[in-house]
Amino acid sequence: MTQDMKETFGGPGGSLAAKVRTLSPSLTRSMQRVAEAVASDPAGCAALTVTGLAELTGTSEATVVRTARLLGYPGYRHLRLALAGLAAQQQAGRAPAITTDIAVDDPIADVVAKLAYEEQQTLADTAAGLDTVQLGAAVTALAAARRTDVYGIGASGLVAQDLTQKLLRIGLMAHAPGDPHLAVTNAVQLRPGDVAIAITHSGSTGDVIEPLRTAFGHGATTVAVTGRPDSPVTQYADHVLATSTSRETELRPAAMSSRTSQLLVVDCLFVGVAQRTYETAAPALAASYEALAHRHRSTPR
């Protein structure tokens, strides 16, 4: 097996669907058609030349090549190898047979199975697309921060609170202001050495962008956790951590699937910071457990 084939079957090929979901919003309409075609029918597209795929999608050969490169492949030949690898995996029975479309009359057992699969896929897609260099840089900044502000609204606000509580448990100063006005006034107080994190699936939530922009302007290190790496929030982010953009359905709004991927990123940030600050984090965590231990003991009558 050549080095090209090893890279194709061992790396990019396995995360092709995740890349298409993540990059699709930033692609042109013609490039989206190419990306969707290769993701939905890897076996069929693997058999096509660059001209054949261009004809199938109603695009040009140049568009096909550009799409392949944006998906992470040096050229169309490498994309075809990846597609062949995916097709082989599916034929071997490793592709999921379950659909995540939940119907109103689905038995509850089917709902459980479909949601469980969707959660697994969301986590896998997020892990595959997460930039560990950006993640490491964010962890470094958090571990050394004097103070951390975390901004989020709605479902993302719950994730912001989760991260804040985790950081507080290991002795770090963190805030997750729920009021948009308070978030901005807090951001005004940030300085170089502080960290501000914006959590927004769409990347265009004004109540999250405004405090991040304020923090950015005051010299704080800024981080965006978003499902849209090309969205407005990233203009004010020193580090961008992309989450999976799972498909929204009537019975499963984006808030549910996005929260799953956001929580994975939050846990990665927390564990990374705990590793970096272990000498102080471990005693602080033990003290917080001890402080609450009596609440979990049965009270004798």
Side-chain angles (χ1 to χ4, degrees), residues 48-115:
L48 298 175
T49 64
V50 64
T51 302
L53 183 54
E55 292 176 350
L56 175 69
T57 56
T59 61
S60 65
E61 294 180 9
T63 297
V64 171
V65 173
R66 284 197 298 269
T67 304
R69 289 174 178 168
L70 280 177
L71 291 176
Y73 304 93
Y76 181 63
R77 180 175 68 88
H78 299 82
L79 175 59
R80 286 186 72 183
L81 286 173
L83 295 176
L86 288 176
Q89 291 176 5
Q90 292 176 350
Q91 291 172 0
R94 280 174 281 181
I98 190 170
T99 173
T100 57
D101 291 329
I102 299 174
V104 174
D105 58 352
D106 271 349
I108 192 64
D110 289 355
V111 172
V112 171
K114 291 178 180 182
L115 286 179

Side-chain angles (χ1 to χ4, degrees), residues 111-154:
V111 172
V112 171
K114 291 178 180 182
L115 286 179
Y117 168 70
E118 179 67 20
E119 297 285 339
Q120 293 168 4
Q121 189 62 53
T122 296
L123 292 173
D125 288 354
T126 299
L130 193 57
D131 187 329
T132 54
V133 174
Q134 293 286 301
L135 177 64
V139 165
T140 298
L142 279 170
R146 177 187 68 93
R147 163 181 159 179
T148 297
D149 277 9
V150 190
Y151 314 123
I153 297 295

Side-chain angles (χ1 to χ4, degrees), residues 260-286:
T260 299
S261 54
Q262 290 170 351
L263 286 170
L264 173 60
V265 174
V266 161
D267 282 349
C268 290
L269 285 170
F270 170 72
V271 171
V273 172
Q275 289 177 316
R276 300 285 183 91
T277 62
Y278 184 77
E279 290 186 2
T280 56
L285 195 58

Side-chain angles (χ1 to χ4, degrees), residues 12 16 45 51 55 68 131 140 152 178 182 188 213 218 230 240 271 275 284-285:
L16 176 60
C45 292
T51 302
E55 292 176 350
D131 187 329
T140 298
L182 182 59
V188 171
R213 180 174 61 237
H218 282 77
D230 61 338
V240 177
V271 171
Q275 289 177 316
L285 195 58

